[in-house]
Amino acid sequence: MSYFDTWNKKIEDSSDQTKYTQYVQRYYELERQAYDRILSAYPDNSQLISATASEMASVLGFPPDEMDVFLGFLDGISSSVEDPIQLEEVSDETAIDLKIDYEKLYWNMRDAKADWLYNLASWDTVLPKERRAEITKDFRRANIAHVEKIGRNDPCPCGSGKKFKNCCMGKN
């Protein structure tokens, strides 16, 4: 079984809630630590983001017996890198080069509501506070819920051809 298969199996199995919660909390702890290391070393972080899987996991703080958790980290960052990672094929000796789009990473962290990640102080070395504020503003603008309210005299959306006030609105 690959590390990625093990990750998926463990993250989807919540039959033992205590064990599941411990696993997820351990993932969040290692994830935060890994991102903090990558961001803190920016722009000289190439040794952290380009190596074999086992070497990268080690320098990012993932123990050798938790490579499945490292694959969870790679799964999370995969939508923010230029070259896709074939997660199912990753083994200890797989060469990984994370060409991270940092603005996209910040956006994706906001989208995941991962405040423990997008609020890391180490972001200051990567994106200026003003740029992060712009991305946050754009993110919020893009995620505003829009509701098209049907007027009383508009055609009913049920397709009857009647005015809304004489059709479905009158049924309530």
Side-chain angles (χ1 to χ4, degrees):
M1 183 180 297
S2 72
Y3 291 133
F4 188 62
D5 290 337
T6 303
W7 161 254
N8 281 323
K9 183 180 175 197
K10 288 183 177 181
I11 205 67
E12 292 171 3
D13 180 15
S14 59
S15 58
D16 181 343
Q17 196 60 43
T18 303
K19 190 175 180 181
Y20 174 79
T21 301
Q22 289 172 344
Y23 187 74
V24 171
Q25 290 303 319
R26 179 68 175 152
Y27 166 73
Y28 288 152
E29 173 188 326
L30 291 172
E31 176 191 42
R32 188 196 57 70
Q33 175 182 307
Y35 278 119
D36 197 37
R37 287 181 181 184
I38 290 170
L39 298 172
S40 294
Y42 182 85
D44 302 319
N45 60 4
S46 60
Q47 76 282 5
L48 298 174
I49 59 174
S50 186
T52 66
S54 61
E55 292 168 342
M56 186 183 293
S58 177
V59 296
L60 292 178
F62 293 87
D65 63 336
E66 294 185 87
M67 283 297 288
D68 55 310
V69 179
F70 175 66
L71 263 287
F73 168 77
L74 290 179
D75 189 20
I77 199 172
S78 66
S79 62
S80 303
V81 297
E82 293 176 19
D83 299 325
I85 304 166
Q86 299 302 318
L87 297 169
E88 301 82 10
E89 300 171 9
V90 173
S91 67
D92 289 341
E93 298 307 314
T94 303
I96 299 174
D97 188 15
L98 300 176
K99 293 181 180 125
I100 302 169
D101 179 337
Y102 290 97
E103 289 190 7
K104 189 173 185 181
L105 178 62
Y106 188 78
W107 178 284
N108 290 339
M109 287 176 174
R110 294 216 58 108
D111 193 37
K113 298 178 177 82
D115 60 333
W116 64 95
L117 297 176
Y118 66 75
N119 285 328
L120 286 169
S122 50
W123 272 107
D124 292 340
T125 63
V126 181
L127 294 173
K129 196 174 228 175
E130 298 80 24
R131 182 62 189 134
R132 291 193 317 266
E134 288 173 25
I135 294 170
T136 299
K137 187 176 180 181
D138 291 343
F139 174 79
R140 289 181 177 154
R141 190 175 303 127
N143 288 291
I144 293 174
H146 297 281
V147 177
E148 294 292 326
K149 186 173 179 182
I150 302 167
R152 291 174 35 83
N153 291 315
D154 290 338
C156 189
C158 75
S160 68
K162 297 179 183 178
K163 289 184 179 182
F164 183 62
K165 69 180 178 185
N166 294 327
C167 189
C168 291
M169 190 172 127
K171 292 179 183 176
N172 294 334

